[in-house]
Amino acid sequence: MRSEASALRTAEELLRELEAADKFSGVVGVQQGDQMLMRDAFGYASRTWNIPTTVETRFDTASITKLFTAVATLQLVEQGAFALEASVVGYLGLEGSGISPAVTPYHLLTHTSGIADDADEEAGERYEDLFRERPNYSVIETADYLPQFIGKPPNFAPGQGCRYCNVGYVLLGLMIERATGSTYRSYVAEHVFVRAGMDRSGFFRMDIVEPDIAEGVEAIEDENGDTVGWRRNVYSYPPIGGPDGGAHVTVGDLLRFHGAVTERRLLGSALTAELLSPKARHRELGAGSHWMGFGFEFETDSDDVVRCYWKEGVNVGASGMLRHYPMQDITVAVLAVGEHAAWPPIKAIDEAVRDA
């Protein structure tokens, strides 16, 4: 562990430089086994009042929320509420919607459904542009997302490709609600957050005051690239998170979530193993592959041995990552303010871990 701690000192120096240059506001946690190698806060949680972040600051996790949706879905599969091979259209009564009856929860979890996304991130579309004409405050309940994608033609037949798709997780959220008679957010709060010991986590509305929540902002820059102000993200996506993104957690809770997964406190052994294994090859890397799994994404070497798995989140005003390196038993959690803020520290920590 000493070599990892030594390598991380270089990464921490970079974090302090980024903080001093006003380029990073967030919290970083690095854990090896049960030992915390690093947990520190940087920059501001509120630009309005110049309030610094603390390790207990809660951040918008953006798409990291998909991990909570994946676990909730697998819990219900484990209980027999529906099967991974069930017809999503049949289960939800969405016949005639344009979504293929052959689409299953397995396809949705692994981004192999072919369903057209509401904002196709792989094509460079921006999620916030959905709300230029549609009021973002009209999207509160899980079913409110349906008009944004339900009529779009598919990109490919189910199982015949792999393309990142946010709205697949919206459909999983609807399946969770149909199976439980509860709202998606209530189910996740009780059966994921509470069971994982994530007592600082929740789905919090932007228009209701909650303590210790980082304010989502983006820098306003002049023609020279200098920051001249800050833009809030309150019109950029729905005012409360849903199955595809937007839960608020602390870095500590994110690490606790991963611990609860690996200790099989959220799922039994069989589905835990499935959650932590790659499923669909997304693209080739220099000396390996990038895979999609049940929420997590995976990097493998040329022999398809997993080097690391992760879930990142990015949206206007927020970015972050939960990443685990199995061979070193190191888990990294980064949550930040700003859609570009998390990537330099994540890259530095990744290099430190690999070098060590």
Side-chain angles (χ1 to χ4, degrees), residues 57-141:
T57 299
R58 299 182 282 193
F59 293 84
D60 180 352
T61 60
S63 283
I64 296 173
T65 303
K66 290 181 175 68
L67 292 178
F68 312 141
T69 305
V71 166
T73 300
L74 294 175
Q75 286 176 344
L76 294 169
V77 168
E78 200 168 54
Q79 295 165 25
F82 49 78
L84 282 171
E85 300 77 22
S87 168
V88 172
V89 167
Y91 191 81
L92 294 177
L94 292 177
E95 292 83 357
S97 65
I99 297 176
S100 169
V103 170
T104 67
Y106 183 97
H107 294 133
L108 300 179
L109 286 163
T110 58
H111 301 281
T112 57
S113 70
I115 294 172
D117 215 342
D118 52 6
D120 191 339
E121 295 177 351
E122 290 203 19
E125 295 178 2
R126 291 184 61 79
Y127 187 67
E128 66 175 336
D129 290 341
L130 294 173
F131 304 108
R132 291 185 179 275
E133 297 183 4
R134 186 186 190 195
N136 67 326
Y137 56 78
S138 67
V139 183
I140 302 296
E141 304 304 328

Side-chain angles (χ1 to χ4, degrees), residues 271-293:
L271 283 180
T272 295
E274 293 296 320
L275 180 68
L276 299 179
S277 62
K279 300 289 182 253
R281 199 184 305 268
H282 185 236
R283 60 188 173 90
E284 297 299 324
L285 302 174
S289 299
H290 172 202
W291 299 70
M292 294 296 185

Side-chain angles (χ1 to χ4, degrees), residues 19-32:
E19 178 186 44
D22 214 6
K23 298 295 185 182
F24 181 66
S25 290
V27 177
V28 175
V30 182
Q31 187 170 328
Q32 186 170 40

Side-chain angles (χ1 to χ4, degrees), residues 172-237:
L172 291 171
L174 289 172
M175 294 187 75
I176 291 166
E177 292 183 341
R178 175 65 60 89
T180 64
S182 175
T183 67
Y184 162 80
R185 290 185 284 264
S186 295
Y187 180 86
V188 169
E190 180 179 353
H191 296 278
V192 180
F193 295 163
V194 171
R195 287 171 61 176
M198 301 167 66
D199 57 7
R200 298 274 295 154
S201 299
F203 292 88
F204 305 117
R205 290 182 61 114
M206 290 182 179
D207 56 350
I208 295 178
V209 174
E210 291 284 347
D212 303 325
I213 290 182
E215 191 177 75
V217 298
E218 294 292 342
I220 301 171
E221 297 179 342
D222 62 17
E223 61 275 10
N224 299 316
D226 296 324
T227 299
V228 295
W230 301 91
R231 173 173 70 95
R232 288 185 175 137
N233 65 352
V234 294
Y235 298 114
S236 299
Y237 49 93

Side-chain angles (χ1 to χ4, degrees), residues 44 46-52 215 232:
Y44 294 104
S46 170
R47 292 283 176 180
T48 305
W49 301 102
N50 288 337
I51 297 172
E215 191 177 75
R232 288 185 175 137

